[in-house]
Amino acid sequence: MGKIFDSLTEDWKDLHKIVIFGFGKMGRGNIDALMSRFQIVKIIDNNPELEGQSYKGINIVTLLTYESLHMKEKIVVVTSGNRYNSISAELKEAGYREYDDFCDFATFCNDFFWNDRKELFIGRLTFNITTYCTLNCKHCTMLTPYNKNKKHFDIEQIKKDVKSTFSIVDYVSNFLILGGEPFLHKDLKELIIFIGIHYRNKIGNLQIITNGTLRVPYDLIEVLKQYNVEVRISDYTGRVDYDEQLRVFCADLDLHGVEYVSYSHDEWLDMGFPNGKVNMGDDAEELRRHMLKCNPNCQNVSEGKLYYCAQGWAAEQSGLFSLQPTDYLELEDNSGESGKEKFRKFYFGDLENDYFSFCKVCRGWDTDIVVPGGIQFGSGID
């Protein structure tokens, strides 16, 4: 299963200089937070167009150039998704040892900042602000079509959740606002302004996930620009006819200089629930292995609670599954170092009941079973 905590070797302690590997969106979004705490002596990125450039006086080089310099600094790989696996393999092939010479950003946040400074740095945290959506996707991981009690969450409660989170957490690498479709929420602008004023310096990448079906008011777009919010578009136009709406949506963002990325979702992973009967086992140790192997990285905060898995939260919201009290952590009265330690343990999977109860009926993100992405109920397509 691997270790949850304390993966790094002893010589990572009292670190003052580092090298970061990766200067894409993830690297650019988090470098300033790292620069405020470390001397970054080099940035490694294998994009040949970046070599020779610099960021605030820090030179950007390829791995090949870096090796020629014979430097011995610890390397923190700041990338997202599966990109780390290929970089890890590249570094190992060059003779670097994982957790000794280099590590991923999540492990660095998990171990170093806590052990060395008692600062709680975490990776990805989601805030679902609505369960309404403009689409009706059959295999939606948020189970939107199955939720018969949809609602927009109260703006004051959402702001309270954000405030509670940052009373415990020192830094969030990826802070995601999602739904449902978040642009349906009438108070989204107010929320972004609140986050931007009070907590933007504690967030690396502030993102909104949308399907791009709606026209966004210009005053909201200006706020997205002001607080450097990245819009992540899940493009389902290969399955759903809204090409013109998406074109207009992107054109509006382009006009105002709002950064966005668009991903075509022709296939989704089939986690099973609720369309298939799935039983991932009855043995607690087996289920815990499944949970950690899944490594959901989709912990979310909702109505005063931190949930280990947003899919499980959505299953409960839909009324199709009942979570256990050990599946979430109450944020109230969890400030201070003891509250930080509780949050840290829970966030990284050290659960009181050893595994998240929804894992028993969910295949998780490590499944290789796929289904067509974006298929709508009533489309006549399976």
Side-chain angles (χ1 to χ4, degrees):
M1 288 188 295
K3 298 172 68 174
I4 296 180
F5 303 117
D6 302 322
S7 299
L8 301 177
T9 53
E10 285 292 315
D11 58 347
W12 285 78
K13 291 182 178 178
D14 301 318
L15 199 62
H16 299 288
K17 297 180 181 180
I18 62 172
V19 170
I20 72 165
F21 196 137
F23 204 52
K25 177 63 181 178
M26 185 87 165
R28 294 194 307 273
N30 290 284
I31 191 170
D32 287 341
L34 293 173
M35 287 178 66
S36 69
R37 293 163 171 83
F38 302 94
Q39 180 185 349
I40 300 177
V41 295
K42 282 288 183 292
I43 301 169
I44 303 173
D45 195 290
N46 284 336
N47 181 351
E49 294 181 2
L50 294 178
E51 183 161 31
Q53 297 185 26
S54 64
Y55 178 80
K56 296 185 178 179
I58 307 169
N59 292 333
I60 304 173
V61 298
T62 63
L63 178 59
L64 187 62
T65 300
Y66 177 77
E67 287 188 86
S68 71
L69 300 174
H70 304 291
M71 301 178 72
K72 299 296 182 183
E73 307 297 344
K74 300 296 187 185
I75 299 173
V76 180
V77 182
V78 189
T79 60
S80 57
N82 292 327
R83 182 74 180 110
Y84 174 74
N85 296 332
S86 60
I87 292 176
S88 174
E90 183 181 6
L91 287 168
K92 288 176 181 176
E93 186 176 350
Y96 296 90
R97 295 162 296 178
E98 189 174 26
Y99 306 131
D100 188 340
D101 303 313
F102 74 94
C103 73
D104 61 285
F105 186 54
T107 297
F108 189 61
C109 292
N110 183 355
D111 286 354
F112 177 84
F113 284 102
W114 180 257
N115 291 331
D116 191 76
R117 307 184 181 191
K118 288 297 181 282
E119 289 184 316
L120 184 52
F121 272 46
I122 61 173
R124 190 175 189 264
L125 195 62
T126 66
F127 287 75
N128 296 73
I129 65 172
T130 181
T131 53
Y132 283 99
C133 190
T134 54
L135 298 179
N136 202 33
C137 299
K138 184 175 181 180
H139 297 284
C140 174
T141 56
M142 291 293 99
L143 304 173
T144 298
Y146 303 92
N147 191 333
K148 306 305 179 187
N149 298 297
K150 295 181 180 67
K151 64 179 179 179
H152 297 303
F153 291 92
D154 177 68
I155 183 61
E156 295 306 320
Q157 178 62 56
I158 300 170
K159 291 195 290 188
K160 182 179 178 181
D161 287 344
V162 174
K163 183 178 180 180
S164 296
T165 297
F166 284 109
S167 72
I168 302 170
V169 176
D170 294 288
Y171 185 79
V172 178
S173 175
N174 284 329
F175 186 111
L176 277 74
I177 300 170
L178 61 156
E181 170 50 58
F183 283 109
L184 284 172
H185 200 297
K186 67 180 180 64
D187 296 317
L188 178 58
K189 176 184 171 183
E190 180 180 345
L191 175 61
I192 293 170
I193 293 173
F194 173 77
I195 294 170
I197 290 174
H198 299 287
Y199 304 109
R200 191 64 186 88
N201 65 330
K202 292 188 172 187
I203 297 169
N205 296 314
L206 177 57
Q207 302 170 320
I208 294 177
I209 297 182
T210 176
N211 56 37
T213 55
L214 296 173
R215 190 79 185 266
V216 182
Y218 285 171
D219 60 336
L220 175 52
I221 293 178
E222 285 298 316
V223 169
L224 299 178
K225 174 67 174 178
Q226 180 180 355
Y227 293 109
N228 191 24
V229 181
E230 180 188 61
V231 179
R232 292 182 57 188
I233 304 167
S234 297
D235 178 0
Y236 302 118
T237 56
R239 305 284 181 184
V240 186
D241 184 16
Y242 68 97
D243 299 74
E244 180 60 19
Q245 293 99 309
L246 181 57
R247 186 196 66 77
V248 171
F249 181 86
C250 293
D252 287 343
L253 298 181
D254 283 327
L255 181 64
H256 290 259
V258 174
E259 187 171 355
Y260 68 91
V261 290
S262 183
Y263 301 97
S264 295
H265 288 269
D266 295 325
E267 286 186 339
W268 279 344
L269 294 176
D270 183 4
M271 299 184 188
F273 188 91
N275 295 303
K277 297 295 182 181
V278 175
N279 187 335
M280 299 305 297
D282 296 304
D283 179 74
E285 186 175 344
E286 180 183 0
L287 287 166
R288 179 163 176 76
R289 278 197 299 269
H290 168 54
M291 180 188 82
L292 294 179
K293 187 179 178 183
C294 170
N295 188 23
N297 200 26
C298 55
Q299 294 85 342
N300 72 322
V301 172
S302 180
E303 298 184 300
K305 300 179 178 69
L306 168 68
Y307 292 85
Y308 183 71
C309 172
Q311 280 71 38
W313 168 86
E316 182 169 68
Q317 287 286 317
S318 70
L320 299 176
F321 190 86
S322 295
L323 294 175
Q324 302 302 309
T326 51
D327 289 328
Y328 53 81
L329 180 71
E330 296 278 358
L331 295 182
E332 190 111 355
D333 301 323
N334 264 322
S335 59
E337 189 172 314
S338 62
K340 283 188 176 186
E341 189 161 11
K342 286 181 184 177
F343 192 108
R344 175 180 180 251
K345 287 182 175 180
F346 186 90
Y347 178 91
F348 287 107
D350 189 5
L351 276 59
E352 182 180 335
N353 196 42
D354 287 336
Y355 65 92
F356 188 66
S357 66
F358 186 68
C359 293
K360 187 171 183 177
V361 298
C362 177
R363 295 190 187 105
W365 289 103
D366 58 324
T367 182
D368 57 1
I369 301 173
V370 298
V371 290
I375 292 297
Q376 303 295 290
F377 271 108
S379 67
I381 304 173
D382 286 320

